[in-house]
Amino acid sequence: MTLTVSGLVMVFPILYAFLISFMQGGEVLQGSLWPETFSLVNYFSAFERVPLLTYLWNSLVVSVLIMAGQLVLCSLAAFAFVFIEFKGREWIFYLFISTMMIPWEATMVPNFQTVQSLGWLNSYAGLTIPFFAMAFGTFLLRQQFKTIPKELYEASQVAGISRLRFFTGVVLPVAKTTMITLAIYSFLTAWNMYLWPLLVTNSEANRTVQIGLKQMQTQEIASDWGVVMAGVVMVILPTLILLFAGQKRLQEGLTQGALK
C-alpha cells in the first residue's frame, strides 16, 4: 500500500503535465484537473511556435553520438586498465577517476575556449566530443571486466588471439548488461543537457530540445501553458520509454560490477 501511494505521488506531476497539454488557457488558470476535451491543438501550436522538430532531431543525434563515443572510449580504456600491464597503471587510473570530483562548471570555460579555437561552435563536434571520455563509464566497465579471469586472457595470448579479437569476442559479450546500462545512462544525460548546448550554439539549426523548451516557456504567456506542456510531453516521452524499457538492465548493470 505504501509503495502504491508513493508511486502515485511520484507519477502525478508527469500525469498532470500530460493532462495540461490538452487544456486551454482558461482551464489551466482555473486549476482544472481534467481537460474538457482532448484536442491536439496545443501540440500543433508547439511545433509552430518554435522549430521543435529540428530541436528534437538535434538532441537525438547528439545523444546517440555521445552514447556511442562513451561506449567505445570507456570500454577500450577499461580494457587497458584491466588486461594490459604498463608502468603506473593503477596511479593513472586513480588520477583519471579523481576527475569525477571536479565540478563540470570548473571545466566549462577551458572546454569552451578549446571548442572555439577548433572552430566547433554550432556543430555536432562541439556538442558531443567533449563528453566522449567519461570517468564514471570507465570505472563501471572496469569493475565488470575485472570479473573475467586473467587466466582466460593469458590463454588467449598463448593461442595467438589478438587483443582486439579477445576484446570483441569475449569481453564485450560478458559485459553486455553493463554496456547497455552505460548506454542508457549516457543517452539520458546527453538528452537532458541544457547549459553546454546553450553556450556552444547560437543558431536554431543546431540547438537542442532543452533550449527549445526554455524558449517556448519565455515566449508564452500564462494562458498558453497548455502549449508549453505539450512541448514538455513530447520531450520527456522518449526518455520515459527508454527508461521503462531498460529499467531492468539499468538496475542489473549498476549492481553487477560490485558483485564480483
Side-chain angles (χ1 to χ4, degrees):
M1 181 64 181
T2 303
L3 291 177
T4 302
V5 174
S6 300
L8 291 175
V9 171
M10 294 180 64
V11 172
F12 176 75
I14 299 176
L15 179 60
Y16 189 50
F18 177 73
L19 294 175
I20 290 178
S21 68
F22 294 100
M23 296 182 187
Q24 302 302 315
E27 297 178 72
V28 178
L29 294 177
Q30 293 172 4
S32 302
L33 294 177
W34 195 267
E36 294 181 359
T37 58
F38 285 87
S39 173
L40 297 178
V41 174
N42 289 335
Y43 287 85
F44 290 118
S45 299
F47 282 100
E48 294 174 356
R49 302 295 174 87
V50 296
L52 193 58
L53 191 60
T54 300
Y55 293 157
L56 286 169
W57 172 253
N58 288 337
S59 288
L60 179 62
V61 172
V62 169
S63 299
V64 170
L65 289 177
I66 291 178
M67 178 185 68
Q70 288 186 5
L71 288 177
V72 173
L73 292 183
C74 291
S75 60
L76 291 174
F79 180 83
F81 282 128
V82 174
F83 293 104
I84 301 178
E85 296 285 346
F86 56 90
K87 188 175 181 180
R89 183 180 66 175
E90 295 299 323
W91 287 105
I92 293 175
F93 174 72
Y94 293 139
L95 179 63
F96 183 50
I97 292 300
S98 66
T99 60
M100 295 175 62
M101 296 185 294
I102 302 175
W104 164 247
E105 291 78 9
T107 63
M108 190 171 298
V109 173
N111 280 338
F112 176 80
Q113 292 176 339
T114 301
V115 168
Q116 187 180 37
S117 63
L118 293 173
W120 288 352
L121 297 180
N122 292 312
S123 68
Y124 288 141
L127 287 167
T128 59
I129 291 179
F131 299 94
F132 281 1
M134 184 182 182
F136 171 75
T138 302
F139 172 76
L140 185 68
L141 292 177
R142 176 180 177 269
Q143 295 302 105
Q144 176 61 36
F145 291 176
K146 288 179 69 175
T147 63
I148 302 174
K150 287 194 175 181
E151 292 78 8
L152 185 61
Y153 173 70
E154 293 170 355
S156 69
Q157 295 294 293
V158 173
I161 298 175
S162 66
R163 287 174 176 170
L164 181 61
R165 185 179 175 186
F166 180 79
F167 174 69
T168 57
V170 178
V171 175
L172 292 185
V174 170
K176 180 175 63 175
T177 299
T178 308
M179 294 285 287
I180 294 175
T181 300
L182 180 59
I184 296 173
Y185 176 82
S186 59
F187 183 91
L188 295 178
T189 302
W191 183 272
N192 292 319
M193 282 195 307
Y194 172 74
L195 187 55
W196 180 251
L198 183 64
L199 286 175
V200 299
T201 60
N202 52 30
S203 171
E204 289 186 349
N206 303 103
R207 286 191 157 173
T208 55
V209 74
Q210 301 299 331
I211 301 175
L213 284 181
K214 189 62 178 179
Q215 286 180 338
M216 189 181 300
Q217 183 179 350
T218 54
Q219 290 175 5
E220 303 301 329
I221 58 176
S223 60
D224 289 323
W225 275 105
V227 178
V228 176
M229 288 303 170
V232 170
V233 169
M234 286 185 288
V235 171
I236 66 174
L237 189 59
T239 61
L240 289 177
I241 293 174
L242 181 63
L243 187 60
F244 285 124
Q247 184 178 14
K248 184 178 179 181
R249 295 281 189 175
L250 186 62
Q251 293 175 344
E252 290 178 356
L254 288 175
T255 57
Q256 195 174 61
L259 303 175
K260 186 174 179 180

